[in-house]
Amino acid sequence: MSLFNVYPIYNITPVKALGAKVWDDKGQEYLDFYGGHGVISAGHSHPLYVKAVSEQVAKLGFYSNSIENPLQEELGKKLVSFSGYSDYSLFLCNSGAEANENALKLASFHNGKKKIVAFNKAFHGRTSAAVAATDNPSIVAPINAGHEVVFLPLNDEEALKTELAEGDVCCVIIEGIQGVGGLDEGTTSFFKAIEKACNNNDVVLILDEIQSGYGRSGKFFAHQHHDIKPDVITMAKGMGNGFPIGGILISPKFKASFGLLGTTFGGNHLACAAATAVLDVIKQENLMDNVNAMSSYFKEQAALIPQVKNIKGRGLMLGLEFDFDINELRKKLIYNEFIFTGSASQKNLLRILPPLSINKEDIDRFFIGLKNALKDL
């Protein structure tokens, strides 16, 4: 049976990885500055992570949410110490798209409305309402297009206030920092305007921190750079360091009831062990401090390269902007310099999402490779 051909694939077969390094089936070592779309947070095959997952799967990998699972409670308590959201509740699922689906559904249950406000170049997932709230018509099937979604320009406060004042908006969903869209983000003034307008108009504010959360921006959540408090926060990607897990943090204004949300696999024992281990690594190795230090160093080095026209993003969620399409540059980086990087809908942007444990030596190697690749273009 052949695979359904929906992914453009580089001709590389990884077989093992450690930290920020990946090796293929021919023994070639690669530097990973993309982390599989920002998924690798603690670093590939981190010993603490491997131990936690291995020990848990040897005891109990899965049982349903019809029984008590103390690992979910443990994960929730540790999330409080990192996020500061002590009065919020946790619902666990399996992915970022599922987290956003549940957040949108919860918002609609809460206020009885259905119109979604999202923003130009937004990406929130590929399922049902999540893909309808994604600003890419090519991946929205007719069955998804029935959702009522309005896309507004990022940082246009007047357009936002006008839309919400109509009274029929269910929720506003916004990324802490846009990922696929190209590392754009709301200003502090804009985030505060959203928070105020939502509170004044019975609109639920959903912060999509699926890629920008879990320390990647230099704070645990990217919206914490702007001193706001959303109603619902969605998480995934770096949460499990490669193990599928997602979740939403839910304000106490929402009332839970049996059957309101549900999932078969979400919050299973193995997923919770993986996610708890990630938080342990972040704490023990001071990875959020490392994110800020390495971000500053990366930006200093990037500023020395004349072809780099702009540096976007925060922490280790970064983009290098050029005045040309970076498709060939990415190919040269991976095939000639053995470095993984990412792209975005902004075709001249090279996306950088290394493990949070990246060091100066890795960054130096990246820039040597980048300079070589630029010479060969």
Side-chain angles (χ1 to χ4, degrees):
M1 180 183 292
S2 62
L3 299 177
F4 198 49
N5 188 19
V6 293
Y7 301 115
I9 293 176
Y10 288 106
N11 186 26
I12 293 166
T13 306
V15 294
K16 67 175 183 176
L18 182 65
K21 307 295 193 305
V22 175
W23 289 266
D24 69 13
D25 56 352
K26 300 177 179 61
Q28 176 62 53
E29 179 186 295
Y30 296 79
L31 180 64
D32 188 1
F33 260 56
Y34 193 52
H37 307 301
V39 166
I40 301 301
S41 50
H44 291 284
S45 306
H46 190 286
L48 190 154
Y49 174 84
V50 171
K51 182 174 184 289
V53 172
S54 299
E55 289 180 353
Q56 184 58 49
V57 76
K59 291 186 292 187
L60 175 63
F62 171 81
Y63 204 78
S64 77
N65 286 304
S66 62
I67 48 82
E68 291 186 0
N69 183 350
L71 295 178
Q72 294 182 355
E73 300 289 340
E74 180 186 359
L75 176 57
K77 288 176 182 177
K78 289 192 175 182
L79 273 168
V80 167
S81 67
F82 283 88
S83 69
Y85 283 97
S86 58
D87 56 341
Y88 280 45
S89 301
L90 172 64
F91 176 78
L92 292 166
C93 53
N94 306 285
S95 69
E98 190 180 346
N100 281 336
E101 290 290 345
N102 280 286
L104 293 165
K105 182 179 181 181
L106 185 65
S108 188
F109 270 132
H110 177 72
N111 58 25
K113 296 183 282 187
K114 63 181 181 178
K115 182 190 286 186
I116 301 167
V117 168
F119 296 93
N120 294 349
K121 300 201 295 182
F123 186 94
H124 297 293
R126 293 179 179 271
T127 58
S128 192
V131 78
T134 291
D135 188 19
N136 182 355
S138 69
I139 63 171
V140 179
I143 198 170
N144 308 125
H147 295 281
E148 191 174 355
V149 183
V150 174
F151 291 100
L152 299 178
L154 197 63
N155 293 319
D156 188 334
E157 295 183 21
E158 289 307 312
L160 174 80
K161 292 173 185 176
T162 299
E163 187 66 45
L164 267 59
E166 294 184 10
D168 60 346
V169 174
C170 166
C171 60
V172 173
I173 184 167
I174 183 170
E175 294 158 273
I177 302 170
Q178 289 189 336
V180 173
L183 284 298
D184 292 319
E185 61 181 310
T187 63
T188 295
S189 174
F190 188 61
F191 274 110
K192 286 186 175 296
I194 296 174
E195 181 184 45
K196 182 177 180 180
C198 285
N199 289 336
N200 290 343
N201 293 281
D202 187 29
V203 175
V204 175
L205 174 54
I206 301 170
L207 241 300
D208 180 340
E209 295 278 9
I210 287 161
Q211 189 171 120
S212 57
Y214 256 66
R216 184 155 291 279
S217 75
K219 290 186 180 290
F220 193 71
F221 291 126
H223 71 264
Q224 292 172 324
H225 289 282
H226 308 292
D227 192 30
I228 64 163
K229 198 169 186 179
D231 299 307
V232 182
I233 304 161
T234 60
M235 312 171 291
K237 291 197 184 291
M239 190 176 182
N241 199 49
F243 195 95
I245 184 170
I248 58 177
L249 298 185
I250 304 165
S251 161
K253 72 167 62 174
F254 296 89
K255 180 177 174 55
S257 62
F258 293 154
L260 188 73
L261 304 177
T263 169
T264 296
F265 296 104
N268 67 73
H269 296 72
L270 196 51
C272 287
T276 300
V278 169
L279 293 177
D280 289 342
V281 173
I282 290 175
K283 181 178 180 180
Q284 291 178 20
E285 300 187 1
N286 298 311
L287 290 190
M288 287 175 60
D289 289 341
N290 188 67
V291 167
N292 289 307
M294 293 305 100
S295 180
S296 295
Y297 185 70
F298 184 95
K299 289 177 180 178
E300 288 170 5
Q301 301 307 305
L304 300 175
I305 298 181
Q307 294 96 325
V308 174
K309 304 306 178 185
N310 189 24
I311 306 165
K312 301 176 73 175
R314 294 177 184 263
L316 291 176
M317 186 174 176
L318 298 168
L320 299 180
E321 197 172 53
F322 297 87
D323 58 5
F324 55 84
D325 188 313
I326 55 89
N327 184 50
E328 288 302 314
L329 176 61
R330 282 190 73 207
K331 288 180 181 178
K332 290 189 179 296
L333 282 169
I334 198 166
Y335 289 126
N336 298 352
E337 304 301 326
F338 310 111
I339 299 172
F340 293 153
T341 57
S343 61
S345 62
Q346 183 181 335
K347 300 302 183 184
N348 63 333
L349 190 84
L350 188 70
R351 202 146 52 116
I352 307 298
L353 295 161
L356 308 187
S357 54
I358 208 80
N359 57 41
K360 286 186 177 181
E361 181 182 350
D362 295 327
I363 291 173
D364 289 343
R365 179 182 163 190
F366 168 80
F367 280 106
I368 290 170
L370 179 61
K371 290 173 186 175
N372 289 339
L374 288 168
K375 287 178 186 176
D376 292 340
L377 284 178

